[in-house]
Amino acid sequence: MRPLPPAPRPRPGEDRTTDLIRWAAFSCVLVPVVLLGYGASLAGAAGTALGLAAVTAVCRVLLRRSERCAARLLADEPAPGAHHRGRHQRAGTGPRRGGRHSGGNSPVG
């Protein structure tokens, strides 16, 4: 008998996000139950549940979007050995370094 292959492990970011969404969904159920236990009206508890569910759904969408953007940025990164200087990251001490200063501490007049 062959042993079963290990289950595929989710990426670390997905695991944390999934756990966060699960806890949020749990709170969408727990909070209205607690409110009912403390004597809140059924309509108030239902409204609270709907509000929490809406906030949870929006947060889930935003978390997934940020994960996709982060993955895209990581995929677009240059190789670790590549060196690139942007327009404002010039090296050296040439006459153009430093911007508009014409020299010294004399006022421009």
Side-chain angles (χ1 to χ4, degrees), residues 2-96:
R2 292 182 353 197
L4 293 174
R9 297 181 70 191
R11 292 183 303 186
E14 287 180 0
D15 191 32
R16 286 181 285 177
T17 302
T18 302
D19 286 345
L20 182 68
I21 297 301
R22 285 182 183 159
W23 278 107
F26 174 71
S27 72
C28 289
V29 174
L30 181 64
V31 169
V33 169
V34 170
L35 287 175
L36 287 173
Y38 278 97
S41 68
L42 184 61
T48 300
L50 288 174
L52 285 172
V55 169
T56 300
V58 170
C59 288
R60 180 179 184 269
V61 168
L62 292 174
L63 279 168
R64 298 295 181 196
R65 179 188 283 180
S66 74
E67 283 179 344
R68 284 193 307 267
C69 289
R72 195 176 316 133
L73 286 176
L74 286 175
D76 291 345
E77 258 184 16
H83 187 67
H84 172 71
R85 290 190 182 271
R87 178 176 165 214
H88 296 290
Q89 296 176 353
R90 293 186 180 128
T93 58
R96 292 186 178 178

